[in-house]
Amino acid sequence: MAEAHQAVAFQFTVTPEGIDLQLSHQALTEIYLSVLRSWKKRLIRLKNSVITGVYPASPSSWLFVVIAILATMYTRSDPSMGLIAKIQEHLPVRYHSLSAQCQTVLSAVLFSTMLWLSLIFTMRMCLKQLLSYHRWMFEPRGKMTNTTKVWLTLVRIFSGRQPLLYSYQGSLPNLPVPAVKDTIKRYLESVQPLKNPEEFERMTSLAANFESCLGNRLQWYLKLKALWASNYVSDWWEEYIYLRGRGPIMVNSNYYGMDFLYVTPTPLQAARAGNTLHAAFMYRRKLNKEEVKPVSFTAILTCTVIPLCAAQCERIFNTTRTPGEETDSVQHWQDSDYVAVYHRGRYFRLRMYSAGRLLSPREVESQVQKILDDPSSPSPGEEKLGALTAGDRIPWAKARKEYFSSGLNKRSLDCIEKAAFFVTLDDDEQGMMGEDPAASLDRYAKSLLHGKCYDRWFDKSFSVVIYKNGKNGLNAEHSWADAPVVAHLWEYVLATDSFQLGYNEEGHCKGEVDSSLARPQRLSWDIPPECQEKIAQSLSIAQALADDVDFHVFSFRDFGKGMIKKFRISPDAFIQLVLQLAYYRDRGAFCLTYEASMTRLFREGRTETVRSCSNESCAFIRALEGGEVCRRLLRQASEKHQSLYRHAMTGAGIDRHLFCLYVVSKYLGVESPFLNEVLSEPWRLSTSQTPVQQVELFDLVNHPEYVSCGGGFGPVADDGYGVSYSIVGENMINFHISCKHSCPQTDSHKYGGLIRQALLDLQLLFCPDQKDPSKADLRQTKKDM
């Protein structure tokens, strides 16, 4: 209990001689350093807020403007055209005691400041208008219009230099509200290949009735919201799609990310935890200082970068989802100096700072090893407590209110929820290993997605899992942010772990250990039998859900984006056509297909749906299955998919607009048969690409083995597939396929085999020479263009 005594700064005892006051100098020192660290962070936040607030200018530019105005005045000219004199006349009475020259200088400084702020405002508005221009995205590659050339030049001029993470936030445009008639037109086009003539005619009639009657009324309210809200979609999307869901978030909402596929940097569990946790806190430190490079992408093969919204980064750490009976909420704390750790049914608090400094990887390894060596047993109800976060939300909300709202349980629960993130030290071994590497990858995916249903804390923003053999991974909650934000963190952690921190010859972390570090604190619980029964009920529900998940993960290495791009086809469009072809061969029909696209070109943007099953894609697949050589149809389908994707990215999507119109209709208490039918349509094929964002962190040429397998998610529909894919390097595509055992029509392994075959069949359209596709004659390809 030494750590418990150290947590008390002073103690006093009443004796016959008086009060005996005992001070703990170590605790007082820790308190002092903690306060000092907190104030340092506040000052950094204040400094960054000033720098971000004046971007694209800089604070030093204020001094330049002041000196320029004063220098001009000393040449006997008035750059303010009389405004400085007006300011001097209206100075407060207390400044009248100053000399006339001092009053003039003070007035000039005030005028300079107002001029400087006006220039900043003008520059930001100009940049905001420039970033609202998206026609460049629709221009053919290599064919840039004069308008776009001028736009690129202006963006470079107004973008400023050395931006911080949030520097562009105030300059990002708001998400536009599309016209109702445009959205309905795009919707009808998207469902036409999925309906017979009678069904399509009925849907067209419903859409026309909605457009002429209720649509304009709902649109008026939506435009009213768009006037004052930063983003007319995001808050409703977070609340109604995520937080109001009353079913389990495990499998249904949470997603996962994997470790390196072929490499395990160290076989020591504690050492891998040491580097992983230290790297995560290094990223958090960069995040707090806003030193993380703003996420952007390069426009039209130029050096001009187009910024993306970074608002989701604010809640990566120190965040948890709190259950409620009607709706959940997302809580975020400014700081946390520890992580919550689960091992063999026990919960620990592992402090990551000592004397105001971040623990070295070797020190974290030592602390983790103490947890691994701890022989204590779980208290009653503690081992499977995490199952409450895996089951239905209402029972968890009620149990939290009844058993965890006060006393010992509340303190321990607060410790978990306020932690920087959650860590599981898993006793299993995972990764691609053994005599059947394919099956081991499937088990690895299922372990990261749901584990044992009680050894993860699914409410935390993300949970890091460290396996016994040194493999790692993470599970992330979905409501607070989308996968690319977590993937950015995870790429940094993996790269820093292996290429920057490293390990010694024995596999241990590098560095020395401070022997005076207090042991990790074991959390205590008092869980009554009634609560243990509720835990068992939640576990039963979660276990049934987990057992029903059918998962298959595989890497396709016959070819990758390198060969696809030689055909002048978008790799993403190519893979989407492969997925639809495989589904058509599996079911004999087409289905409504969901592909996630980002809308982070706009402020607080999240995602939009690309309805990738189109008339063009269906025409291509029917022709291919009919034995035709249909390269022209393949290109048409690819170009259509790219057009759909670009429209979704630039605010002209379908589903978020219809979703918000539906929410408005519910607020107004009116029913729309059209909207009810649209929002009840099942997505039997839900897909998402996980791109590598920080390519510069990985040297896939010299170290091709250091490649991650990406991540995945559970099936969206009970009778459908969830497919996540990542395009890695030039010659590798990873697929994560999920479905449910309870549906006799779905089989992840069968669908995976169909995807492999579809990839090879599309390859044959351009590369009849299968022996060496990279050297195949592309003359016929160029002829067909």
Side-chain angles (χ1 to χ4, degrees):
M1 296 297 291
E3 66 275 8
H5 290 296
Q6 291 169 0
V8 181
F10 66 90
Q11 298 176 341
F12 67 90
T13 306
V14 180
T15 65
E17 291 77 18
I19 297 177
D20 182 15
L21 184 63
Q22 299 176 356
L23 295 176
S24 171
H25 294 287
Q26 181 179 356
L28 289 174
T29 301
E30 288 292 335
I31 292 173
Y32 165 75
L33 292 172
S34 178
V35 171
L36 185 63
R37 176 172 160 268
S38 177
W39 274 102
K40 283 183 179 179
K41 292 188 68 175
R42 290 181 185 179
L43 291 174
I44 290 172
R45 281 196 292 266
L46 177 62
K47 181 195 75 172
N48 290 341
S49 64
V50 171
I51 296 174
T52 300
V54 302
Y55 195 83
S58 63
S60 60
S61 62
W62 172 83
L63 186 60
F64 174 81
V65 173
V66 171
I67 293 174
I69 295 295
L70 291 175
T72 306
M73 290 179 64
Y74 278 108
T75 62
R76 302 292 182 180
S77 59
D78 184 6
S80 70
M81 294 182 291
L83 286 178
I84 292 177
K86 288 288 185 183
I87 294 173
Q88 187 172 350
E89 290 176 9
H90 292 84
L91 285 176
V93 177
R94 64 176 177 272
Y95 292 107
H96 290 175
S97 59
L98 298 174
S99 65
Q101 186 176 8
C102 289
Q103 290 184 35
T104 302
V105 171
L106 178 59
S107 301
V109 170
L110 291 174
F111 170 77
S112 303
T113 303
M114 289 188 292
L115 177 63
W116 179 65
L117 293 175
S118 300
L119 290 172
I120 290 172
F121 179 79
T122 302
M123 291 178 68
R124 294 182 81 160
M125 289 301 100
C126 289
L127 183 57
K128 190 170 187 176
Q129 290 301 313
L130 288 169
L131 295 178
S132 299
Y133 173 83
H134 298 124
R135 284 174 56 190
W136 59 269
M137 197 177 292
F138 295 88
E139 294 176 355
R141 186 176 293 273
K143 298 180 181 180
M144 193 186 307
T145 63
N146 290 331
T147 302
T148 300
K149 291 177 181 177
V150 172
W151 170 77
L152 286 171
T153 303
L154 292 174
V155 169
R156 292 193 195 105
I157 293 172
F158 285 97
S159 288
R161 297 181 179 180
Q162 298 179 342
L164 297 176
L165 177 61
Y166 302 117
S167 291
Y168 289 109
Q169 289 301 103
S171 301
L172 292 174
N174 291 355
L175 182 68
V177 182
V180 173
K181 65 176 183 178
D182 292 340
T183 298
I184 289 178
K185 180 182 177 182
R186 295 188 186 104
Y187 168 77
L188 291 175
E189 183 183 353
S190 74
V191 297
Q192 186 175 8
L194 306 175
K195 296 182 181 294
N196 59 42
E198 293 77 15
E199 291 173 337
F200 183 70
E201 184 178 353
R202 185 182 66 85
M203 182 56 73
T204 302
S205 176
L206 286 175
N209 183 61
F210 171 77
E211 182 182 350
S212 61
C213 299
L214 186 59
N216 290 328
R217 180 186 173 194
L218 302 180
Q219 179 81 344
W220 185 86
Y221 283 98
L222 203 56
K223 286 186 174 180
L224 186 63
K225 181 189 178 185
L227 287 176
W228 56 265
S230 301
N231 190 297
Y232 78 92
V233 175
S234 294
D235 57 339
W236 284 351
W237 186 254
E238 179 176 311
E239 180 177 359
Y240 293 107
I241 297 301
Y242 294 114
L243 298 179
R244 290 214 176 205
R246 301 293 81 197
I249 61 174
M250 183 198 76
V251 173
N252 294 328
S253 178
N254 286 29
Y255 54 94
Y256 67 86
M258 282 186 169
D259 191 8
F260 295 121
L261 184 58
Y262 301 110
V263 173
T264 304
T266 177
L268 303 179
Q269 184 178 22
R272 192 71 196 280
N275 269 7
T276 300
L277 302 190
H278 183 87
F281 272 81
M282 286 176 63
Y283 186 89
R284 191 182 74 160
R285 183 163 57 192
K286 289 170 66 71
L287 198 66
N288 290 338
K289 293 181 178 181
E290 298 186 31
E291 293 175 353
V292 175
K293 187 178 180 181
V295 180
S296 59
F297 62 90
T298 305
I300 328 174
L301 298 178
T302 70
C303 59
T304 303
V305 294
I306 310 302
L308 303 181
C309 180
Q312 296 178 54
C313 297
E314 296 173 359
R315 299 189 291 182
I316 294 179
F317 296 92
N318 327 320
T319 300
T320 195
R321 175 172 175 163
T322 303
E325 294 189 31
E326 291 187 4
T327 181
D328 292 356
S329 60
V330 177
Q331 289 185 285
H332 172 72
W333 291 268
Q334 284 293 335
D335 192 20
S336 179
D337 64 354
Y338 66 93
V339 294
V341 181
Y342 177 92
H343 177 245
R344 292 185 181 174
R346 294 100 31 96
Y347 291 87
F348 295 84
R349 174 176 182 162
L350 172 56
R351 291 192 176 276
M352 294 293 295
Y353 285 84
S354 176
R357 65 171 181 84
L358 178 63
L359 297 186
S360 70
R362 186 70 181 90
E363 289 173 327
V364 179
E365 176 188 353
S366 174
Q367 295 292 83
V368 171
Q369 191 62 52
K370 292 175 183 176
I371 294 176
L372 294 173
D373 295 338
D374 190 313
S376 62
S377 301
S379 60
E382 180 182 12
E383 180 181 10
K384 299 178 180 179
L385 174 63
L388 289 171
T389 69
D392 290 330
R393 304 305 291 175
I394 294 177
W396 172 209
K398 291 180 177 179
R400 189 178 190 276
K401 183 177 180 181
E402 184 174 356
Y403 303 109
F404 299 91
S405 59
S406 63
L408 180 65
N409 288 344
K410 183 181 186 305
R411 290 194 296 272
S412 294
L413 180 62
D414 283 349
C415 185
I416 293 175
E417 293 184 336
K418 294 180 180 180
F421 53 91
F422 192 79
V423 180
T424 296
L425 300 175
D426 202 309
D427 279 340
D428 293 337
E429 295 186 357
Q430 296 292 351
M432 192 170 67
M433 58 187 185
E435 298 179 356
D436 190 352
S440 66
L441 267 183
D442 299 345
R443 290 192 297 271
Y444 183 23
K446 280 179 64 68
S447 176
L448 287 173
L449 184 65
H450 54 68
K452 298 182 179 70
C453 301
Y454 59 79
D455 55 350
R456 316 281 189 260
W457 199 267
F458 294 100
D459 286 352
K460 285 299 291 181
S461 54
F462 69 96
S463 301
V464 173
V465 184
I466 311 293
Y467 292 101
K468 188 177 181 179
N469 60 339
K471 275 292 179 187
N472 68 8
L474 88 166
N475 180 288
E477 201 275 318
H478 209 327
S479 65
W480 62 275
D482 300 307
V485 176
V486 178
H488 194 274
L489 156 71
W490 195 236
E491 288 172 7
Y492 178 89
V493 169
L494 290 180
T496 303
D497 169 20
S498 297
F499 304 126
Q500 183 175 337
L501 300 177
Y503 302 87
N504 62 24
E505 294 179 356
E506 291 78 26
H508 292 284
C509 297
K510 298 176 182 178
E512 302 297 328
V513 179
D514 182 356
S515 59
S516 66
L517 293 175
R519 293 178 62 85
Q521 179 186 352
R522 171 80 187 275
L523 301 186
S524 300
W525 307 89
D526 181 14
I527 302 175
E530 298 82 7
C531 183
Q532 295 179 37
E533 184 178 344
K534 294 182 182 296
I535 292 172
Q537 292 171 356
S538 292
L539 179 58
S540 176
I541 292 171
Q543 194 65 61
L545 178 61
D547 292 342
D548 195 25
V549 175
D550 177 19
F551 233 104
H552 182 47
V553 179
F554 70 93
S555 293
F556 182 83
R557 306 206 66 166
D558 291 33
F559 62 88
K561 73 173 182 181
M563 192 192 75
I564 298 171
K565 290 169 73 174
K566 288 181 180 179
F567 307 148
R568 299 189 181 180
I569 293 177
S570 159
D572 183 69
F574 187 90
I575 295 173
Q576 283 292 320
L577 290 171
V578 164
L579 297 178
Q580 290 177 52
L581 175 59
Y583 187 91
Y584 184 80
R585 290 173 173 175
D586 184 35
R587 297 288 189 89
F590 298 104
C591 73
L592 194 61
T593 304
Y594 180 110
E595 182 186 7
S597 166
M598 64 91 180
T599 56
R600 292 171 65 194
L601 287 168
F602 304 96
R603 191 170 184 179
E604 296 182 15
R606 291 198 59 164
T607 61
E608 177 58 276
T609 304
V610 180
R611 292 175 169 243
S612 52
C613 183
S614 62
N615 287 310
E616 289 80 0
S617 67
C618 293
F620 161 69
I621 290 172
R622 288 193 182 101
L624 182 67
E625 292 300 273
E628 297 182 33
V629 178
C630 42
R631 298 187 186 95
R632 178 180 56 83
L633 293 177
L634 171 59
R635 286 206 169 78
Q636 289 179 354
S638 171
E639 290 169 1
K640 179 62 176 181
H641 178 268
Q642 287 181 278
S643 176
L644 292 172
Y645 203 101
R646 289 162 179 164
H647 276 96
M649 286 180 63
T650 54
I654 300 169
D655 291 273
R656 299 301 179 268
H657 185 205
L658 293 178
F659 161 75
C660 288
L661 291 173
Y662 177 80
V663 173
V664 173
S665 73
K666 291 303 177 182
Y667 277 129
L668 297 178
V670 295
E671 287 294 323
S672 168
F674 171 71
L675 291 177
N676 289 339
E677 186 158 341
V678 169
L679 271 78
S680 63
E681 292 171 338
W683 299 96
R684 292 192 173 90
L685 186 55
S686 181
T687 70
S688 179
Q689 182 189 171
T690 307
V692 179
Q693 301 172 73
Q694 302 169 89
V695 182
E696 68 278 4
L697 297 181
F698 303 92
D699 184 0
L700 297 182
V701 176
N702 297 317
H703 301 284
E705 69 278 11
Y706 282 91
V707 57
S708 172
C709 198
F713 53 89
V716 174
D718 291 337
D719 59 346
Y721 293 102
V723 183
S724 173
Y725 55 95
S726 58
I727 303 172
V728 183
E730 297 295 309
N731 300 294
M732 184 176 184
I733 309 172
N734 296 317
F735 291 91
H736 299 246
I737 306 167
S738 64
C739 60
K740 292 191 174 182
H741 289 296
S742 57
C743 177
Q745 296 175 299
T746 57
D747 185 322
S748 65
H749 289 77
K750 177 186 175 184
Y751 188 57
L754 291 171
I755 289 174
R756 288 178 184 271
Q757 188 58 50
L759 284 163
L760 296 173
D761 288 347
L762 293 197
Q763 172 201 3
L764 286 174
L765 287 177
F766 296 98
C767 292
D769 183 6
Q770 299 183 53
K771 294 181 180 179
D772 193 352
S774 64
K775 297 181 180 179
D777 187 5
L778 299 181
R779 285 177 294 179
Q780 183 63 41
T781 300
K782 295 177 181 177
K783 182 179 178 181
D784 292 334
M785 291 180 182

